[in-house]
Amino acid sequence: MAALASSLAVSSRVTMPSAAVMASSGRLSAASSFAPSLKASFGCAAPSSRVVMAAAAAGKDKPREGSKEPAQETLLTPRFYTTDFDEMEALFNREINPYVNQVEFDACLEEFRADYNQTHFVRSPEFKEAADKIQGRAREIFVEFLERSCTAEFSGFLLYKELGRRLKKTNPCIAEIFTLMSRDEARHAGFLNKALSDFNLSLDLGFLTKARKYTFFKPQYILYATFLSEKIGYWRYITICRHLNANPEFACYPIFGKFENWCQDENRHGDFITAMLKCYPKFLTSWDSKLWARFFCLSVYVTMYLNDHQRAAFYNNLGLDVKQFDLHVIKETNKTSARIFPAVLDTENPEFERKLDHLVQLHQSIIDADASTAPDLVKRLQKLPLQAAFVGELLAMYLMTPVDSGSVEFADNEPRIVY
């Protein structure tokens, strides 16, 4: 799903806003952390037993024998999410909420039932043959890409599956759409996990279900973050696809040939979340919704930028310049977001790009300080001014003059035709 938000800090080093975790690897996990704590940032208490998915509670101590040990959780890794399902039910109850546009949801449901990609994710012997040719550092980078992507897709599957189950009585149509979205995410995760087997590895997804911590987000923030996750995932996939179609010599593995259709799943998911957001106009018209929309945009864009610059070698192997790739994806996602969000960041402002690059430099300096052999006290003192500069730059980006935007459906005045 690609990716949501959590109260994290970049690589345990800098406190950042949090947002959609699904876009900087395969889907490509696009969100991570920006808030000192959920309670401080969102006014959310820790999740109660009624909102935490049962799967988060129990679990095996170890993944099954022969499967890959999961990557260590950091603040930039894909995360698992939960929400207040009771509040979500109330939001989309037609007896309570007069803004639920059932006609739009019925149309969405027909799209999902069509299941255009039912026979798309078919493997061939070329997968294993291509994997065997990827060796050395490139192999390590590719395995990391597949693992992060698989985890992000599986995270979406778990959240959507539970929403489908919980909304059955309140709004069967929306519940079925979530169930079909979970079908898509499970298909993506399974395909990616099978790709890992080409590298003689696999993830124990059942173990991940039970072993990972679940981050709680209120429904409003789940919707903002999920929308961004799906749309930024679309732009990442389609951009890579178009680049490799024009430069096939860099298509080192057949999975990239699946991206064109794959990204349409992400696009449909994002369109459905758009319809959900419109069910509660306050999410798109109030003064605080403008602040939250910008917050989540900043969270997703910065997290993706930092994540990708740490993995520039992966994009270099595809013949992509990581900076130009990320800036293109950010700007296109921002344009898409402007069609529904009440305000977005001014990503065309040259200062926005300059600040992103400065964050990369500061982040790397913090990583270098952490990796030094200096005593812990010295490390903390070395990092303090860097962390302060990082937070200051984030705040400056957030306070840049925004771009007012949003759907015409929520315009203050009816547009008039001028001849």
Side-chain angles (χ1 to χ4, degrees):
M1 148 185 73
L4 303 177
S6 57
S7 75
L8 312 167
V10 177
S11 300
S12 309
R13 299 174 182 92
V14 182
T15 301
M16 297 174 63
S18 168
V21 142
M22 295 164 205
S24 110
S25 332
R27 158 107 162 241
L28 301 142
S29 160
S32 203
S33 59
F34 275 26
S37 73
L38 287 172
K39 188 169 183 179
S41 298
F42 304 129
C44 310
S48 65
S49 58
R50 69 186 175 86
V51 298
V52 178
M53 286 183 262
K60 302 182 275 184
D61 294 330
K62 297 179 181 178
R64 69 171 181 271
E65 187 176 350
S67 62
K68 185 181 184 300
E69 195 72 31
Q72 182 180 359
E73 284 190 68
T74 71
L75 300 177
L76 290 180
T77 53
R79 311 189 77 81
F80 289 2
Y81 299 90
T82 186
T83 189
D84 187 330
F85 296 103
D86 293 337
E87 182 181 341
M88 192 73 87
E89 287 181 73
L91 284 175
F92 302 105
N93 187 329
R94 284 179 291 171
E95 296 178 4
I96 299 174
N97 186 354
Y99 296 104
V100 175
N101 185 343
Q102 197 59 44
V103 173
E104 187 169 10
F105 285 120
D106 288 340
C108 285
L109 179 56
E110 290 307 308
E111 278 282 297
F112 280 96
R113 282 176 174 170
D115 196 7
Y116 302 109
N117 285 336
Q118 183 177 14
T119 60
H120 178 63
F121 294 93
V122 177
R123 289 168 49 82
S124 68
E126 295 174 355
F127 279 76
K128 178 61 176 171
E129 293 168 7
D132 290 341
K133 294 176 183 176
I134 303 174
Q135 296 297 327
R137 177 59 181 155
R139 190 176 180 89
E140 294 175 21
I141 293 169
F142 206 85
V143 166
E144 182 189 27
F145 157 74
L146 291 172
E147 180 179 0
R148 289 172 63 86
S149 302
C150 182
T151 304
E153 297 284 356
F154 189 64
S155 167
F157 158 73
L158 291 175
L159 178 65
Y160 294 156
K161 181 182 178 183
E162 186 66 10
L163 283 166
R165 187 182 72 83
R166 290 295 297 264
L167 292 172
K168 272 184 181 177
K169 292 182 180 179
T170 303
N171 195 315
C173 174
I174 291 178
E176 185 177 349
I177 294 174
F178 270 122
T179 299
L180 295 175
M181 284 171 66
S182 74
R183 170 205 66 196
D184 295 343
E185 301 295 301
R187 185 179 286 157
H188 300 165
F191 194 70
L192 287 158
N193 206 14
K194 190 65 177 174
L196 274 171
S197 71
D198 294 331
F199 296 81
N200 304 315
L201 298 166
S202 69
L203 288 177
D204 184 347
L205 298 178
F207 172 75
L208 285 180
T209 303
K210 300 172 177 65
R212 283 287 183 113
K213 295 176 182 177
Y214 285 68
T215 300
F216 175 80
F217 250 18
K218 287 176 63 176
Q220 178 181 359
Y221 311 133
I222 282 279
L223 294 178
Y224 289 152
T226 308
F227 169 84
L228 282 165
S229 164
E230 299 290 357
K231 289 301 185 180
I232 206 168
Y234 166 80
W235 280 110
R236 290 175 67 92
Y237 278 133
I238 197 63
T239 302
I240 291 174
C241 175
R242 289 169 178 168
H243 165 74
L244 293 179
N245 285 344
N247 303 276
E249 68 274 17
F250 291 107
C252 57
Y253 188 64
I255 199 168
F256 298 115
K258 305 294 182 181
F259 274 18
E260 187 168 7
N261 286 39
W262 191 330
C263 75
Q264 297 307 326
D265 282 344
E266 314 298 330
N267 209 26
R268 275 187 290 275
H269 296 181
D271 290 345
F272 167 60
I273 300 300
T274 298
M276 294 188 76
L277 282 165
K278 291 192 290 187
C279 288
Y280 203 71
K282 182 177 179 292
F283 292 170
L284 300 171
T285 57
S286 63
W287 66 269
D288 59 314
S289 69
K290 291 189 173 187
L291 300 179
W292 283 116
R294 289 159 54 199
F295 172 85
F296 277 92
C297 285
L298 182 64
S299 301
V300 170
Y301 301 162
V302 169
T303 302
M304 184 188 77
Y305 205 77
L306 294 178
N307 246 326
D308 286 356
H309 277 71
Q310 283 186 305
R311 296 163 179 82
F314 173 78
Y315 299 94
N316 293 341
N317 287 342
L318 297 181
L320 285 164
D321 178 278
V322 67
K323 177 176 177 176
Q324 295 307 315
F325 170 73
D326 275 3
L327 288 175
H328 172 76
V329 169
I330 286 172
K331 289 176 181 180
E332 293 300 331
T333 304
N334 206 55
K335 291 175 187 175
T336 302
S337 301
R339 297 172 193 159
I340 187 66
F341 282 3
V344 293
L345 304 174
D346 185 3
T347 58
E348 300 291 344
N349 188 332
E351 188 65 11
F352 183 82
E353 178 183 336
R354 190 200 68 76
K355 290 181 181 299
L356 280 174
D357 289 336
H358 190 209
L359 287 178
V360 170
Q361 294 169 9
L362 290 169
H363 186 220
Q364 187 58 51
S365 296
I366 293 168
I367 292 173
D368 293 343
D370 249 347
S372 74
T373 56
D376 287 346
L377 178 59
V378 174
K379 286 185 185 180
R380 286 197 291 270
L381 292 174
Q382 288 175 337
K383 291 189 294 182
L384 198 59
L386 297 170
Q387 291 169 330
F390 192 102
V391 173
E393 197 73 283
L394 277 176
L395 184 60
M397 294 174 78
Y398 183 75
L399 295 177
M400 287 174 64
T401 303
V403 177
D404 288 332
S405 57
S407 171
V408 69
E409 295 178 46
F410 300 106
D412 292 334
N413 301 301
E414 288 293 328
R416 292 185 297 174
I417 298 176
V418 178
Y419 295 97

